[in-house]
């Protein structure tokens, strides 16, 4: 009987044969939290900002959120290792530069032989030469500890004395891939990963008016913000096919496009070849506090989890950085089919092309068509957006209602705004909040 099984009774649940994917994920997250708390106590002699977390892709992502919550000031890097004959090779690494960690924690839920962790440790040692290397696992075969010791890596886990049966640790996660479990949504995806991106891009490619409107009316105001300064790191949150991502590349040292859709990211990579642009489906909050500009274009009105998207932006944003949010204007509903039938908008046909929403204050969904595409949009009043920004430490700097004629005289003017753009700054810290935002509740109104 493994003594470590008595540490956490939840570990026994992994032996249940009929445990569903979501339940396995939740158990591993809970076990990871307890393990992280235990390690945090053991490592308290080290400054927390001298700790580096390295989730080993993809399974390590399942443990990462728990460790990130406990080690709040830790840096984070990513490593992916693949088998090469009897050995291992690094096929991807994104390790932070300019830091000198004293402790490196490698996150990998299941260690059968320890070979993957050994290879990651050699890479990290060559890069940093840290004083202490710790492999953090949920379950490991009993031979792993001795194997890691040769690489001067200590082993900490929920259960580290399991049997290795033909390369398999029992219990592990069954036939499940830990990386797939890490990508299971807790409340549904934050962004619409089932969005018909190929058909959407084809529509804009075939329709010159729609393509020009997207470029001039939606992208151009965002690019004006991007041109206002040279940014170190820009995040395009919900990048789709990467059109805006590529356009922002000339205004930053590094631009990352994130989208949960593999189809969208594949399309973005095919269309973009700039050296300072990358695209990923990996959660961007792995780079916590990295981005000095976050652009979120036409995303919040396309997802039911918009609060989660704003929270994600707060995690990714560097302190006191800029964010640009563009959504459909919540005061008006645009009738695309009527506009396309009449070819233009004029005072005479304005009433059939635009209409005031009958229930502005009530959050609801409505359908929108782009050619043959039927899309679902989410209506929220302005106060919902602004209050959610404030809740996450974002201070509203500016609000714009772009008119087509202002950015491109070739486009017919709109008599009511179609989109609205918010420019925020944040997230505000406890230290700088009082300097930037006056606390009106403490002021005497005369």
């Amino acid at each position: 009987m493994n003594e470590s099984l008595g540490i956490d009774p939840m570990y026994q649940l992994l032996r249940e044969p009929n445990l569903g994917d979501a339940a396995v994920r939740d158990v591993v997250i809970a076990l990871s939290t307890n393990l992280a708390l235990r390690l945090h106590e053991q490592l308290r002699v080290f400054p927390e900002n001298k700790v580096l977390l390295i989730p080993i892709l993809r399974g390590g992502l399942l443990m990462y959120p728990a460790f990130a919550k406990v080690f709040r000031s830790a840096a984070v890097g990513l490593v992916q290792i693949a088998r090469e004959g009897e050995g291992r090779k690094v096929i991807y690494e994104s390790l932070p530069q300019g830091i000198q960690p004293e402790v490196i924690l490698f996150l990998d839920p299941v260690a059968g032989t320890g070979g993957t962790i050994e290879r990651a440790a050699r890479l990290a040692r060559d890069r940093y030469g840290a004083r202490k290397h710790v492999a953090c696992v949920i379950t490991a075969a009993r031979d792993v500890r001795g194997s890691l010791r040769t690489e001067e890596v200590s082993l900490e886990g929920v259960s580290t004395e399991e049997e290795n049966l033909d390369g398999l640790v029992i219990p592990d996660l069954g036939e499940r891939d830990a990386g797939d479990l890490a990508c299971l949504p807790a409340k549904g995806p934050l962004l619409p990963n089932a969005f018909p991106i190929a058909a959407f891009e084809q529509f804009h490619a075939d329709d010159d008016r729609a393509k020009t409107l997207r470029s001039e009316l939606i992208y151009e105001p965002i690019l004006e913000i991007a041109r206002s300064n040279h940014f170190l790191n820009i995040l395009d949150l919900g990048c789709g096919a990467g059109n805006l991502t590529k356009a922002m590349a000339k205004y930053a040292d590094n631009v990352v496009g994130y989208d949960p859709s593999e189809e969208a990211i594949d399309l973005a990579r095919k269309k973009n070849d700039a050296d300072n642009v990358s695209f990923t489906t990996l959660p961007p909050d792995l780079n916590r506090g990295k981005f000095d500009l976050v652009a979120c274009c036409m995303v919040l009105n396309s997802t039911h989890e918009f609060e989660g998207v704003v929270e994600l932006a707060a995690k990714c944003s560097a302190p006191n950085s800029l964010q640009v949010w563009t959504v459909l204007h919540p005061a008006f509903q645009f009738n695309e089919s009527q506009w396309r039938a009449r070819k233009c908008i004029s005072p005479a046909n304005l009433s059939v092309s635009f209409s005031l929403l009958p229930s502005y204050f009530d959050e609801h969904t409505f359908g929108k068509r782009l050619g043959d595409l039927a899309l679902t949009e989410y209506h929220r009043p302005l106060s919902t957006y602004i209050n959610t920004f404030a809740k996450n430490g974002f201070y509203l700097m500016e609000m714009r209602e772009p008119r087509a004629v202002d950015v491109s005289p070739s486009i017919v003017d709109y008599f009511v705004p179609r989109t609205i753009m918010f420019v925020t700054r944040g997230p505000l810290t406890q230290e700088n909040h009082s300097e930037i935002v006056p606390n009106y509740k403490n002021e005497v109104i005369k």
Side-chain angles (χ1 to χ4, degrees):
M1 182 74 173
N2 184 354
E3 293 182 0
S4 64
L5 294 181
I7 296 175
D8 201 320
M10 282 186 294
Y11 181 80
Q12 296 283 18
L13 292 174
L14 295 179
R15 298 183 184 274
E16 296 292 332
N18 299 319
L19 203 61
D21 287 354
V24 170
R25 176 204 58 197
D26 292 344
V27 168
V28 173
I29 291 174
L31 292 172
S32 298
T33 300
N34 293 343
L35 177 60
L37 290 170
R38 192 177 86 204
L39 282 171
H40 190 269
E41 179 66 18
Q42 293 177 6
L43 298 171
R44 61 183 178 178
V45 296
F46 296 97
E48 191 172 299
N49 61 0
K50 292 293 186 179
V51 175
L52 172 63
L53 304 177
I54 300 184
I56 298 178
L57 300 178
R58 292 187 311 149
L61 294 179
L62 193 57
M63 302 176 69
Y64 170 74
F67 276 77
K69 288 181 180 179
V70 174
F71 293 89
R72 292 182 178 273
S73 300
V76 61
L78 298 172
V79 173
Q80 188 169 9
I81 310 292
R83 289 182 180 273
E84 186 177 43
E86 296 297 321
R88 304 288 193 279
K89 67 175 181 178
V90 178
I91 61 173
Y92 174 82
E93 63 95 355
S94 178
L95 297 176
Q97 300 178 359
I99 65 170
Q100 294 182 322
E102 296 184 18
V103 179
I104 300 179
L105 304 182
F106 303 95
L107 311 182
D108 198 3
V110 180
T113 64
T116 297
I117 298 173
E118 289 177 34
R119 184 64 186 88
R122 288 198 297 273
L123 173 66
R125 183 176 293 105
D126 292 342
R127 186 71 55 88
Y128 302 110
R131 290 168 54 189
K132 189 173 182 62
H133 295 74
V134 183
C136 308
V137 304
I138 300 299
T139 182
R142 63 169 55 100
D143 295 336
V144 170
R145 187 180 300 277
S147 189
L148 292 178
R149 191 176 292 122
T150 61
E151 294 293 335
E152 299 181 349
V153 178
S154 60
L155 178 65
E156 295 289 343
V158 180
S159 176
T160 59
E161 296 293 327
E162 300 291 352
E163 296 290 339
N164 185 337
L165 303 176
D166 297 325
L168 294 177
V169 182
I170 305 296
D172 57 0
L173 305 182
E175 297 180 354
R176 306 171 180 88
D177 183 274
D180 291 338
L181 293 178
C183 296
L184 282 178
K187 297 181 181 179
L190 291 180
L191 307 182
N193 60 2
F195 189 82
I197 187 65
F200 183 77
E201 288 300 307
Q202 190 61 50
F203 169 79
H204 285 87
D206 294 342
D207 191 295
D208 290 338
R209 183 184 290 107
K211 180 168 58 178
T212 304
L213 282 171
R214 180 169 70 166
S215 173
E216 302 293 347
L217 186 62
I218 298 176
Y219 290 170
E220 181 56 32
I222 298 175
L223 293 176
E224 182 180 335
I225 300 297
R227 284 193 291 267
S228 67
N229 196 356
H230 188 86
F231 296 93
L232 295 177
N233 297 289
I234 294 179
L235 172 65
D236 188 358
L237 186 55
C239 65
N243 299 292
L244 178 61
T245 321
K246 182 178 181 180
M248 293 189 293
K250 64 181 71 174
Y251 310 117
D253 292 345
N254 179 53
V255 183
V256 176
Y258 163 72
D259 202 287
S261 168
E262 293 280 1
E263 180 189 9
I265 293 301
D266 287 344
L267 184 58
R269 287 170 176 161
K270 291 176 182 177
K271 295 174 60 175
N272 294 276
D273 56 3
D275 293 337
N276 65 331
V277 175
S278 61
F279 296 95
T280 182
T281 58
L282 296 175
D285 56 328
L286 293 175
N287 294 296
R288 289 180 297 163
K290 173 180 179 179
F291 299 97
D292 44 359
L293 175 63
V294 175
C296 188
C297 180
M298 306 302 286
V299 171
L300 299 184
N301 53 266
S302 300
T303 176
H304 68 292
E305 290 284 355
F306 95 100
E307 291 182 341
V309 177
V310 178
E311 291 174 4
L312 184 59
K315 295 176 182 177
C316 298
S317 297
N320 204 28
S321 58
L322 284 177
Q323 302 77 37
V324 184
W325 320 81
T326 300
V327 298
L328 290 175
H329 201 295
F332 305 97
Q333 185 165 309
F334 183 65
N335 190 324
E336 185 86 27
S337 59
Q338 287 287 348
W339 170 61
R340 290 178 61 78
R342 294 171 182 260
K343 302 299 182 184
C344 67
I345 298 172
S346 67
N349 63 34
L350 177 61
S351 61
V352 298
S353 297
F354 285 94
S355 60
L356 285 170
L357 291 174
S359 53
Y360 171 81
F361 292 104
D362 299 327
E363 297 188 21
H364 60 271
T365 61
F366 63 93
K368 185 180 78 172
R369 297 198 68 86
L370 291 179
D372 296 329
L373 283 175
L375 306 175
T376 299
E377 302 287 352
Y378 294 80
H379 166 81
R380 301 175 181 95
L382 285 171
S383 57
T384 298
Y385 287 118
I386 294 173
N387 291 338
T388 302
F389 296 150
K391 177 182 175 182
N392 286 275
F394 293 129
Y395 174 55
L396 184 62
M397 303 286 291
E398 184 180 358
M399 188 171 71
R400 298 186 189 181
E401 297 170 294
R403 295 196 312 165
V405 72
D406 291 337
V407 294
S408 179
S410 64
I411 306 177
V412 65
D413 194 9
Y414 283 172
F415 296 90
V416 295
R418 187 178 184 186
T419 62
I420 191 166
M421 185 176 79
F422 306 98
V423 181
T424 61
R425 185 175 289 280
L428 304 177
T429 65
Q430 191 70 30
E431 291 74 20
N432 68 13
H433 187 278
S434 59
E435 299 175 6
I436 300 175
V437 184
N439 187 350
Y440 69 89
K441 293 182 180 179
N442 293 334
E443 292 181 351
V444 179
I445 301 176
K446 298 181 180 179

